Amino acid sequence: MAALTADTLEGGFHDPVFQSQAVFRAVMAALAEPARPVPLPPSARPPAPLTAELGAVALTLADPDTPVWLDPALAASDAVRAWLAFHTGAPVTAEPMDAAFALVADPARLPPLSAFAQGTAEYPDRSTTLVIAVERFDTAAGPLFTGPGFETPRRFAAHPERIGFLDQWAANRALFPRGVDIVFVADGLVAGLPRSARLATTE
Amino acid sequence: MTDMDDARFPPLSNSLPRGERGPVGGSGAGADAGVELNGALSPLVGESGREGAPGAVLDDQANLRTYSFAYLDEQTKRMIRRAILKGIAIPGYQVPFASREMPMPYGWGTGGVQVTAAVLGPDDVLKVIDQGADDTTNAVAIRGFFQKTAGVATTTRTADATVIQTRHRIPERTLQAHQILVYQVPIPEPLRYLEPRETETRKLHGLEEYGLMHVKLYEDIARHGHIATTYAYPVKVEGRYIMDPSPTPKFDNPKMHRSKALQLFGAGREKRIYAVPPHTDVVSLDFEDHPFRIQTFKEPCALCGAEGVYLDEVILDDRGGRMFVCSDTDHCEERRAEGHRGALSGESR
Ligand SMILES: [Zn+2]
């Protein structure tokens, strides 16, 4: 672990109880009504390239019980590793298959969704939740999603998007109830794509 | 980090005498997290220094102590929150979680209380019902528990609540998008009475092998001429998992179907959390020649005249006098406030 610096100690929640509750409710709302960006209250100030939103979700959900996988952009930063270790206590794993959470700062180079834990038929919850920072959401264009949480299908895209993402998502949905869930974060927003969300055009 | 798995707290039922507090009407009770604990609940005050404790209070011995917002410590809340998110992503699937000891007996809805504690924030308005009523000992105690430990506003009015914890009923008023309904669940496994082994029921859910349940319902038909199950009537969620809706009357099952509200289920003793997101298909099991039907009542509510609601029988005297009234007390009161009258409510409209 990197040496403790002021940067490591700073930037956590100043009010952990209420800030983590507010972030949780935003993430819960995002997963309950997928493909619909909802406001994520500003809170954490982690070192780059960990974004404020990635940091806030990590502070809210990760702890010593949840191995976290970092994408290469994050894993390369000692400051990021030290900050996460200090504020969450979550062990970092190099194996996506072992991760409860995957933090992704560079979505264009996201590994295939199938590289992460998919859960089992009997315990589909033993899967990875990917938390992916993107630049923006597009709810005007983009493919139509539907499923639980949709009153009617919604258009949704998260940019930048990994090439072939939609094919991967269709494959992930085909594994249901196994599969991964995605929490996308952008500037001040969070949008969920739980494994239950399916492309309206392919089924 | 202090683990909450100890039994040092006396049951809440001993601390809160029956009828000590009536239901709190309206919203707007102080949402201040720094609520003071009075003598009745001071045994709930945990050790000092628990992580994230927002309030410091003086207990009876005038020792400065702190407690966690909504009672649970932050690590426990995180664990429960993770389980809730998995439950939402896999509608109807029972997510195992490390249920904590709560300062109340299991029959009092410790699973629902833990789910409520994990979602509740300072801006929430909480309603607690038991068999449709806000004023039973159980509902009063749980509402008081969250007033004390979270300082949240409480209400008896369904329309004003953001979080509703319930045992045995779904409110008659259609729930809205901003609302969360938290069910207290005693037995989360719908296959439990057919297959007692957890390893086997897990396999059956995994394989989507639900023949046992259909056999059980069909045996009902063979024996009674109809499906005799009236409570905890099994449902299929989004065409995949068979789920126990908790011991609500089957009358309430259709309210779960494509509800605008998020529905969360907590089973404390059995350590399971599950969920139904908004706008999700929840279909009661049935057969083509024996379609699912809800209970119907011959007469309207004797107090407010409501039809198409779930009624409870109330014994009036020892000579066999009785009446049927709304089980949802808030619904009944609101209707009467609007001027609706039933056969036994005195002057007619
Ligand atoms: Zn009535």
Side-chain angles (χ1 to χ4, degrees), chain A residues 17-18 20-21 24-25 28 32 60-61 63 65-66 121-125 127 129 148-150 177 181 195-196, chain B residues 33 52 69 74-75 78 81-82 86 88-90 93 119-122 124 180 202-203 206 238 241 258 278-280:
Chain A
V17 171
F18 294 115
S20 57
Q21 188 271 339
F24 165 69
R25 283 286 280 272
M28 181 169 81
T60 299
L61 296 174
D63 63 22
D65 294 335
T66 59
E122 287 159 32
Y123 292 95
D125 55 303
S127 56
T129 299
F150 292 82
D181 307 312
R195 69 194 75 182
S196 59
Chain B
F69 178 78
E74 290 303 295
Q75 188 167 358
R78 267 194 304 274
R81 287 166 179 167
R82 292 192 296 259
K86 295 286 190 190
I88 289 169
I90 318 168
Y93 166 73
V119 305
L120 211 56
D124 277 310
I180 300 170
R202 286 255 151 211
K203 272 186 205 145
E238 202 64 20
Y241 281 100
R258 301 196 74 81
H279 313 295
T280 296

Side-chain angles (χ1 to χ4, degrees), chain A residues 9-172:
Chain A
L9 304 178
E10 296 296 315
F13 289 146
H14 61 81
D15 190 347
V17 171
F18 294 115
Q19 287 180 312
S20 57
Q21 188 271 339
V23 170
F24 165 69
R25 283 286 280 272
V27 173
M28 181 169 81
L31 285 167
E33 297 198 48
R36 185 183 62 114
V38 298
L40 186 72
S43 40
R45 288 173 291 106
L50 199 60
T51 69
E53 293 81 11
L54 278 178
V57 174
L59 292 181
T60 299
L61 296 174
D63 63 22
D65 294 335
T66 59
V68 169
W69 179 87
L70 303 176
D71 80 348
L74 294 170
S77 165
D78 284 344
V80 164
R81 299 172 76 101
W83 189 87
L84 285 170
F86 178 77
H87 290 279
T88 72
V92 170
T93 176
E95 291 298 325
M97 273 296 171
D98 297 337
F101 293 100
L103 301 183
V104 177
D106 182 3
R109 290 193 293 161
L110 180 69
L113 298 180
S114 58
F116 297 94
Q118 315 286 308
T120 66
E122 287 159 32
Y123 292 95
D125 55 303
R126 295 178 180 173
S127 56
T128 305
T129 299
L130 287 81
V131 188
I132 304 177
V134 296
E135 285 165 18
R136 64 187 176 88
F137 297 126
D138 190 345
T139 54
L144 272 175
F145 286 91
T146 189
F150 292 82
E151 187 166 19
T152 55
R154 278 189 284 271
R155 294 199 179 279
F156 175 80
H159 297 294
E161 186 174 275
R162 184 192 193 281
I163 293 164
F165 174 76
L166 291 180
D167 289 340
Q168 285 191 28
W169 188 256
N172 186 64

Side-chain angles (χ1 to χ4, degrees), chain B residues 23-67:
Chain B
V24 178
S27 56
D32 179 8
V35 61
E36 283 184 34
L37 298 184
N38 66 14
L41 277 175
S42 60
L44 292 176
V45 179
E47 316 179 342
S48 61
R50 188 169 290 149
E51 177 191 348
V57 292
L58 293 170
D59 71 1
D60 290 335
Q61 286 76 46
N63 294 319
L64 187 64
R65 293 185 176 186
T66 57
Y67 64 95

Side-chain angles (χ1 to χ4, degrees), chain B residues 301 303-306 325-326 332:
Chain B
C301 170
L303 296 178
C304 77
V325 300
C326 290
C332 199

Side-chain angles (χ1 to χ4, degrees), chain B residues 14-314:
Chain B
N14 294 346
S15 318
L16 252 191
R18 184 188 186 98
E20 183 186 84
R21 276 159 215 285
V24 178
S27 56
D32 179 8
V35 61
E36 283 184 34
L37 298 184
N38 66 14
L41 277 175
S42 60
L44 292 176
V45 179
E47 316 179 342
S48 61
R50 188 169 290 149
E51 177 191 348
V57 292
L58 293 170
D59 71 1
D60 290 335
Q61 286 76 46
N63 294 319
L64 187 64
R65 293 185 176 186
T66 57
Y67 64 95
S68 297
F69 178 78
Y71 185 75
L72 294 176
D73 64 275
E74 290 303 295
Q75 188 167 358
T76 299
K77 282 186 207 161
R78 267 194 304 274
M79 178 267 296
I80 293 171
R81 287 166 179 167
R82 292 192 296 259
I84 290 171
L85 298 182
K86 295 286 190 190
I88 289 169
I90 318 168
Y93 166 73
Q94 300 164 52
V95 186
F97 81 111
S99 179
R100 296 298 192 228
E101 289 291 331
M102 297 299 285
M104 56 193 75
Y106 277 122
W108 283 52
T110 56
V113 166
Q114 290 177 83
V115 169
T116 296
V119 305
L120 211 56
D123 298 331
D124 277 310
V125 180
L126 176 69
K127 172 181 165 80
V128 182
I129 50 173
D130 177 15
Q131 310 264 18
D134 296 83
D135 59 358
T136 68
T137 309
N138 184 310
V140 170
I142 291 172
R143 194 166 51 236
F145 175 75
F146 284 114
Q147 281 174 317
K148 293 297 175 193
T149 61
V152 294
T154 61
T155 186
T156 59
R157 294 172 60 87
T158 299
D160 294 343
T162 58
V163 177
I164 303 172
Q165 182 171 327
T166 183
R167 174 172 174 266
H168 292 192
R169 277 310 310 279
I170 299 174
E172 302 292 0
R173 177 184 282 272
T174 304
L175 298 180
Q176 298 303 314
H178 66 282
Q179 297 183 304
I180 300 170
L181 185 59
V182 178
Y183 297 76
Q184 301 172 199
V185 182
I187 310 286
E189 178 49 74
L191 307 172
R192 180 62 69 232
Y193 294 113
L194 309 170
E195 171 53 69
R197 291 166 296 179
E198 170 73 12
T199 50
E200 291 304 307
T201 54
R202 286 255 151 211
K203 272 186 205 145
L204 296 174
H205 283 294
L207 296 167
E208 204 175 348
E209 177 49 67
Y210 292 131
L212 266 181
M213 183 59 88
H214 287 97
V215 168
K216 190 258 177 195
L217 292 176
Y218 217 89
E219 281 172 356
D220 254 22
I221 294 169
R223 195 171 309 138
H224 306 285
H226 61 275
I227 297 174
T229 304
T230 55
Y231 281 85
Y233 189 105
V235 294
K236 196 162 204 182
V237 179
E238 202 64 20
R240 178 56 180 84
Y241 281 100
I242 285 188
M243 186 186 92
D244 184 317
S246 87
T248 47
K250 68 177 182 176
F251 180 89
D252 285 339
N253 278 20
K255 295 175 184 164
M256 308 177 78
H257 179 60
R258 301 196 74 81
S259 170
K260 287 181 183 169
L262 170 62
Q263 301 173 76
L264 302 176
F265 300 77
R269 182 173 39 210
E270 304 263 334
K271 302 178 169 62
R272 296 288 181 274
I273 285 170
Y274 51 103
V276 175
H279 313 295
T280 296
D281 288 345
V282 179
V283 178
S284 302
L285 301 184
D286 65 358
F287 299 95
E288 220 164 84
D289 47 344
H290 289 274
F292 172 78
R293 285 202 186 89
I294 60 172
Q295 293 102 327
T296 55
F297 298 89
K298 288 196 185 76
E299 41 196 308
C301 170
L303 296 178
C304 77
E307 295 178 25
V309 298
Y310 194 78
L311 302 178
D312 283 338
E313 184 178 0
V314 176

